[in-house]
Amino acid sequence: IEWTREEIDAEIKKMALSSRIDPKKLHEYVYSDRDRIYEIAEKVRNRKTLDFLITKVKVKDVSEEEYKKTFDNMQKNDMESK
């Protein structure tokens, strides 16, 4: 999952507004250090990854009995693979 400069800039602006900091000053501060840029880029990438996963997840309601049976089978398979 990739990020763009526009996403980094939008994140900086959002951070500045929520902290009541001048967005231009925060932008200059962040871009003055590569580690800061990468930290924000990682934050953007993590959010995009989570957003993607949320769109792919499927939730299924199961009874407690069915859950326990599935969980027990998973543990059994895990033990056998070791």
Side-chain angles (χ1 to χ4, degrees):
I1 293 183
E2 302 289 326
W3 49 267
T4 64
R5 183 178 177 126
E6 291 79 18
E7 290 169 324
I8 300 298
D9 292 344
E11 185 68 25
I12 293 169
K13 185 176 181 178
K14 186 172 99 174
M15 290 168 59
L17 293 174
S18 70
S19 301
R20 296 185 176 165
I21 299 171
D22 178 18
K24 187 175 182 178
K25 286 184 180 180
L26 184 59
H27 186 275
E28 290 170 1
Y29 173 75
V30 169
Y31 276 93
S32 70
D33 184 337
R34 185 185 318 168
D35 288 339
R36 290 185 200 118
I37 298 169
Y38 287 127
E39 186 177 320
I40 292 175
E42 190 66 23
K43 185 176 180 181
V44 170
R45 185 186 351 256
N46 288 344
R47 185 175 56 251
K48 288 177 73 173
T49 301
L50 185 59
D51 290 345
F52 172 78
L53 292 173
I54 287 170
T55 66
K56 300 299 178 187
V57 129
K58 294 180 182 173
V59 177
K60 177 183 173 187
D61 286 329
V62 295
S63 68
E64 185 176 346
E65 182 179 310
E66 186 178 351
Y67 170 79
K68 286 180 180 179
K69 182 178 176 183
T70 301
F71 185 75
D72 289 344
N73 285 338
M74 288 172 59
Q75 283 186 318
K76 180 181 173 187
N77 289 339
D78 189 44
M79 295 290 256
E80 289 174 355
S81 66
K82 291 183 178 182

